[in-house]
Amino acid sequence: MKFDILIAGVGGQGVVLASRLLATAAIDAGFHVTTAETIGMAQREGSVTSHIRIGDEVCGSLIPSGNADLIIGLEPAEAARNIYFLGMNGSIVVNEHAVMPSAINGCAEYDPDQVLEFLKGNCRDIISVDFTQLAKQAGTYKAANVAMLAAAAGADLLPFSSGDLWNVLEKMVPEKYRDVNRRAFDMSLERVSGIKDPEQQTLDV
């Protein structure tokens, strides 16, 4: 078995934490795992990607182009920037909430809706939700990364269950943040579990 996940976002969104949660859940489920991170020059709002490779057939820590089974995009432009990693039958979970760049540097204006349309046009199996807003409703926008992992688990896009994932979260999240993360986790599961229609793979909720 081989399963490759790429998480893409910007500094401050919890990409590395999300990577550690997935890797630990996979290890606890009995899989071999390798991980690697690439971090942009800016710690805050710079591009951050994390590669999680699960399975005994994995060679190397970085996912080759066109091989990712799942991209989790914590920010739309970062998901689009890394779409070349996605395999032919891969899936995307993307946060519709955009982090606007502090400077455009002469480039065209960033249009998040246009980026999301690009992603939907290039991936048949995509979950597109404003996970930041969902996390705010749960109690803190900082739980958006947890909500996205729950969505991936609830949509059966991971090689382990949502229960396996929560068991890791419960151990790794400090007790004072556990309740709010549990709310975000459960709200996200409720939004996506059992909703996906095999005839229409794009899910906007």
Side-chain angles (χ1 to χ4, degrees):
M1 193 282 286
K2 181 177 72 68
F3 195 87
D4 290 334
I5 306 168
L6 184 126
I7 306 176
V10 298
Q13 288 190 304
V15 171
V16 175
L17 175 60
S19 171
R20 290 173 180 166
L21 291 168
L22 287 179
T24 304
I27 291 169
D28 287 356
F31 297 112
H32 173 74
V33 180
T34 65
T35 65
E37 281 86 36
T38 59
I39 300 175
M41 293 180 66
Q43 286 185 314
R44 197 87 182 161
E45 297 184 3
S47 295
V48 182
T49 59
S50 184
H51 300 240
I52 305 102
R53 310 200 69 194
I54 302 170
D56 294 328
E57 300 175 19
V58 169
C59 295
S61 299
L62 297 176
I63 301 168
S65 299
N67 278 262
D69 297 285
L70 174 63
I71 290 178
I72 298 176
L74 277 70
E75 202 284 330
E78 295 303 320
R81 192 194 308 277
N82 289 280
I83 198 169
Y84 66 93
F85 281 107
L86 191 67
M88 184 177 298
N89 297 312
S91 306
I92 295 176
V93 177
V94 62
N95 186 1
E96 295 176 354
H97 181 82
V99 178
M100 304 304 291
S102 56
I104 300 297
N105 295 326
C107 298
E109 184 178 351
Y110 178 19
D111 183 346
D113 291 335
Q114 192 174 43
V115 173
L116 289 166
E117 286 305 311
F118 168 80
L119 291 170
K120 293 170 186 177
N122 285 273
C123 180
R124 186 170 177 271
D125 192 5
I126 181 167
I127 295 174
S128 174
V129 177
D130 188 336
F131 286 102
T132 299
Q133 182 60 35
L134 185 151
K136 282 182 180 178
Q137 292 171 1
T140 175
Y141 72 92
K142 294 181 179 180
N145 56 349
V146 167
M148 295 189 73
L149 299 187
D156 295 324
L157 299 179
L158 297 174
F160 44 83
S161 71
S162 58
D164 293 329
L165 183 58
W166 176 252
N167 287 340
V168 170
L169 275 157
E170 195 170 30
K171 289 183 288 186
M172 293 183 67
V173 173
E175 185 175 357
K176 62 180 178 179
Y177 302 124
R178 203 168 292 155
D179 286 346
V180 69
N181 277 276
R182 181 76 222 201
R183 285 195 298 273
F185 191 91
D186 289 343
M187 287 171 64
S188 187
L189 281 180
E190 186 177 350
R191 292 282 288 272
V192 303
S193 281
I195 297 176
K196 291 182 72 179
D197 181 349
E199 298 300 320
Q200 176 56 49
Q201 294 295 315
T202 298
L203 174 62
D204 292 290
V205 290

